[in-house]
Amino acid sequence: MVGLSIGEKHFVQGGIAQDLRSDGRKRLTYRPISVETGNIPQANGSARVKMGATDVIASVKAELGKPSPFQPDKGKVSIYVDCSPTAAPMFEGRGGDELSAELSAALQRCLLGGKSGAGGGIDLSSLSIVEGKVCWDLYIDGLVVSSDGNLLDALGAAIKAALSNTGIPKVNVAASASFDGQPEVDVSDEEFLQFDTFGVPVVVTLTKVGRHYIVDATSEEESQMSSAISVSINRQGRICGLTKRGGAGLDPSIILDMISVAKHVSEQLMNKLDSEIFAAEACEEES
């Protein structure tokens, strides 16, 4: 937690109230965003995203697995976040472990929806190879390199960029099954299918400070928050997940207003992220 003097607290809160934050931004303006893709050659896809001084990396690894008996026609996705102890003093010791678990669970809710996968932003049915027998398991790992607030939005953006960078090996299924009933599959080392990220949402966190709420809060601003709501919204404006943190309760009318604002902001974030991903992939192809 960032320690601020009384004067600094009044400065942060007063700036937000007047729609002029301490770094010059308005309440609903993001810091500069940059994207790099293909950072980890061993992964099927990877990306690095910077939002101001917040710096995160996401990687995707695809492995063959067996579908869940409760969802035989779908693949599986697991998300794990690691907070580097060098990213912020509060990440040392158990503080980093607790935040890692909190971020991992929040990203699961925002990107994968409920336990059934219904409403999730990642299409699990696209990962099925042979119903009830073989599927793709995607292991998504996030790493917080440097933290200056708004980790959830940055990690969500990095995951979306990493999935856009992900190539799934083409799989040929033999007509005859092996003696144990399992289909024989041949995984190509040369042909890859681009993962479809059209439905993958962005995460927009609205942080409530005083009577107002802001996007892309810095660590200083987060230290003054009463609560925050993170909403994952896809390209069609559909809500894929929602999570809240902070001890203060929120009136239902305020929550609905925050969701409405998040939808509006998500369009700008989605367009900015798309252009950054396109530019990053163009640079990767040239190199």
Side-chain angles (χ1 to χ4, degrees):
M1 185 66 69
V2 177
L4 300 179
S5 68
I6 295 176
E8 288 171 326
K9 290 178 182 179
H10 286 316
F11 181 71
V12 171
Q13 295 169 4
I16 290 172
Q18 296 175 34
D19 200 16
L20 182 61
R21 294 154 73 176
S22 54
D23 56 8
R25 290 182 291 149
K26 292 183 177 295
R27 287 194 286 263
L28 301 182
T29 304
Y30 274 82
R31 290 170 290 181
I33 301 172
S34 66
V35 177
E36 299 173 18
T37 56
N39 311 76
I40 305 175
Q42 301 89 338
N44 291 85
S46 60
R48 184 171 191 166
V49 168
K50 295 179 182 179
M51 286 187 178
T54 293
D55 186 357
V56 298
I57 297 174
S59 66
V60 181
K61 191 71 176 174
E63 295 182 2
L64 289 177
K66 188 173 182 179
S68 163
F70 304 105
Q71 295 178 303
D73 60 339
K74 295 180 179 179
K76 301 192 292 274
V77 175
S78 61
I79 301 174
Y80 177 74
V81 176
D82 182 34
C83 296
S84 170
T86 60
M90 66 177 180
F91 293 169
E92 296 178 4
R94 291 191 59 186
D97 295 338
E98 291 172 0
L99 184 60
S100 294
E102 180 185 329
L103 289 169
S104 301
L107 286 166
Q108 290 269 2
R109 285 193 294 270
C110 286
L111 298 178
L112 302 179
K115 291 184 178 179
S116 66
I122 297 177
D123 182 14
L124 299 181
S125 60
S126 67
L127 300 174
S128 177
I129 299 173
V130 180
E131 184 173 335
K133 299 289 186 181
V134 186
C135 70
W136 284 111
D137 290 346
L138 292 189
Y139 297 93
I140 301 176
D141 291 304
L143 173 65
V144 178
V145 180
S146 177
S147 173
D148 186 25
N150 202 30
L151 288 175
L152 199 60
D153 292 23
L155 285 164
I159 289 172
K160 183 176 175 66
L163 287 170
S164 178
N165 182 246
T166 296
I168 304 291
K170 187 175 181 181
V171 176
N172 294 311
V173 182
S176 58
S178 59
F179 68 91
D180 60 356
Q182 279 293 107
E184 294 186 359
V185 295
D186 178 38
V187 181
S188 174
D189 292 329
E190 298 177 352
E191 292 186 78
F192 295 87
L193 303 175
Q194 194 73 20
F195 190 85
D196 184 10
T197 59
F198 183 80
V200 178
V202 292
V203 180
V204 176
T205 298
L206 285 170
T207 304
K208 193 168 188 293
V209 179
R211 297 174 55 191
H212 304 277
Y213 28 87
I214 58 175
V215 299
D216 192 20
T218 64
S219 295
E220 287 186 351
E221 292 169 335
E222 286 181 344
S223 73
Q224 301 306 301
M225 78 173 194
S226 56
S227 58
I229 283 184
S230 298
V231 189
S232 59
I233 304 165
N234 67 10
R235 204 175 298 275
Q236 290 81 29
R238 183 169 65 89
I239 296 173
C240 300
L242 186 147
T243 184
K244 175 189 175 294
R245 59 192 173 93
L250 288 171
D251 187 270
S253 62
I254 292 178
I255 294 176
L256 290 174
D257 187 46
M258 292 174 83
I259 291 173
S260 176
V261 172
K263 280 188 175 184
H264 173 70
V265 173
S266 70
E267 295 179 18
Q268 304 171 35
L269 178 60
M270 183 79 74
N271 292 335
K272 174 64 175 173
L273 197 56
D274 283 345
S275 64
E276 288 293 328
I277 291 171
F278 180 80
E281 290 177 343
C283 289
E284 187 184 351
E285 289 175 4
E286 289 176 4
S287 58

